[in-house]
Every structure is written in C-alpha cells, then in structure tokens.
Amino acid sequence: MRILLLRHAATAWTVTGQHTGRTDLPLTEAGETEARATAPLFASMLGPDKLGAIYSSPRQRVLRTLELVVGHVSGVVTDEALGEVNYGDFEGLTPAQIQERAPGWWLWNDGCPGGETLDAVEERVDGFIANLRAAHRDDTVCVASHGHLSRAFCARLLGMPLRAAGAFAISTCALADFTKKDGHFLLSAWNRTL
C-alpha cells in the first residue's frame, strides 16, 4: 500500500497564522495558484501508479485543492475523520494570541480548551488508518487534509505517539509519500512543495 498525503493550499487564515479548524474558508487566489502549480509535482510523485481511492476532509479548502492538484476527482470519499483539529476556544486565533491567553500552550501537550482532546484526535486518526489499511491493502491512495491533522496522521501511521506530530512541520499544499513494507509504513517524502 502507498499513501500520498496532501495538505490544502493557502487560505486567508493560513496567511495570517490563525488556527482554522471547523471554519470553512475558501482558498485565496494565491492558494488556487499554488494548488495548480502543485499538480505537476503530484503527477511526478504518483508516477505510473494509479489512484485506487481518494479520501478528503469535507472542508471546501481541501476539496478545492484536490480538484486543482489531482484533477478530475469523481468518487472522492469525504470523511470527517480527516477534518482539522477542533480548536474550540482557540479557533481563529494566532499563536501569539493563544500564548497571551494560555502561556506555554502547545497543542501536542494540551489539546484545545472548549474543543478536541488529544485522545479524541488520536482515536479518530487511528480509526481512519485502520479502515484505510483494511480497504486498500495493495492500492495507492491519496489522503487530503489539513496542517495539524496531517501531522497527526503521519505520526500515528508511522507508529509514533501523537505528540511526535509536533516534530513534523508542513507547508500549505505540501505532499508526503508513505509506502508499506513488511507491515510497517515508511516515510519516503515529507513536506514536498514547489
């Protein structure tokens, strides 16, 4: 099994650094350009493989990115398990604003007050990975999601504790490539952009 992971392109809040969980923002013009420009990189990374399935967060910023990067994406399976972390009280705030309210806060230690616990994030990511493994043993699939959720997906797919996700920086419209070998996933590319 092979997984190509795609983070969505730029929105108004990714530009300002605001935490965007459940808020359903569109791509900016620059984000649309970024996604179109990423299409050849995706095609190059995919190579001769054919996609057996495409899974996506249901948020418009992710679906539009998929459309522009992958092309015609009929049959995309949207799954709330790929939605961004629910930031609760921190939705729409920048890191500096969060630090004013909660000095020393770090998502991967503290979760989100009024939002999602780290246990809940881990449970939904692990559930999605288990379903993916069961349904696509020998397929190449594309998974499209968000920044923090992509980092959580990477850590858990590689068998790491969730807090290890904090070590994986990921840019907008970045790609990652995972391949299963001897029952375990290997990371062969991370944060690939133009």
Side-chain angles (χ1 to χ4, degrees):
M1 179 181 193
R2 183 180 179 208
I3 301 169
L4 290 173
L5 175 68
L6 171 66
R7 182 189 175 190
H8 69 79
T11 69
W13 283 11
T14 59
V15 172
T16 58
Q18 292 169 263
H19 283 70
T20 318
R22 305 304 166 136
T23 304
D24 200 7
L25 297 176
L27 298 181
T28 61
E29 230 178 272
E32 296 239 347
T33 300
E34 177 183 36
R36 282 187 193 92
T38 302
L41 175 61
F42 181 85
S44 172
M45 288 177 68
L46 180 61
D49 289 357
K50 302 288 183 212
L51 289 176
I54 302 171
Y55 292 89
S56 177
S57 160
R59 304 298 175 267
Q60 65 175 318
R61 60 192 180 270
V62 181
L63 290 167
R64 180 65 176 152
T65 300
L66 256 178
E67 181 183 352
L68 296 172
V69 171
V70 179
H72 183 64
V73 287
S74 62
V76 171
V77 178
T78 58
D79 192 328
E80 194 60 55
L82 294 173
E84 183 58 290
V85 172
N86 179 349
Y87 297 117
D89 298 344
F90 294 158
E91 180 77 6
L93 300 181
T94 65
Q97 291 169 323
I98 293 171
Q99 290 301 315
E100 286 175 12
R101 291 183 182 196
W105 177 82
W106 191 48
L107 171 66
W108 307 110
N109 277 339
D110 306 316
C112 300
E116 200 165 13
T117 66
L118 293 174
D119 286 343
V121 172
E122 184 171 318
E123 184 177 324
R124 72 179 164 102
V125 169
D126 286 355
F128 177 80
I129 290 170
N131 292 338
L132 196 64
R133 282 177 173 249
H136 300 286
R137 297 183 68 145
D138 299 315
D139 292 333
T140 296
V141 300
C142 178
V143 173
S145 191
H146 306 266
H148 282 128
L149 204 284
S150 292
R151 295 163 70 182
F153 178 85
C154 176
R156 298 304 296 152
L157 187 68
L158 297 176
M160 298 175 174
L162 183 66
R163 76 182 317 256
F168 294 98
I170 189 166
S171 304
T172 56
C173 219
L175 291 159
D177 194 348
F178 304 88
T179 305
K180 190 173 173 187
K181 182 176 180 181
D182 300 327
H184 300 278
F185 278 95
L186 305 176
L187 177 61
S188 59
W190 178 257
N191 202 31
R192 289 283 309 275
T193 59
L194 296 173

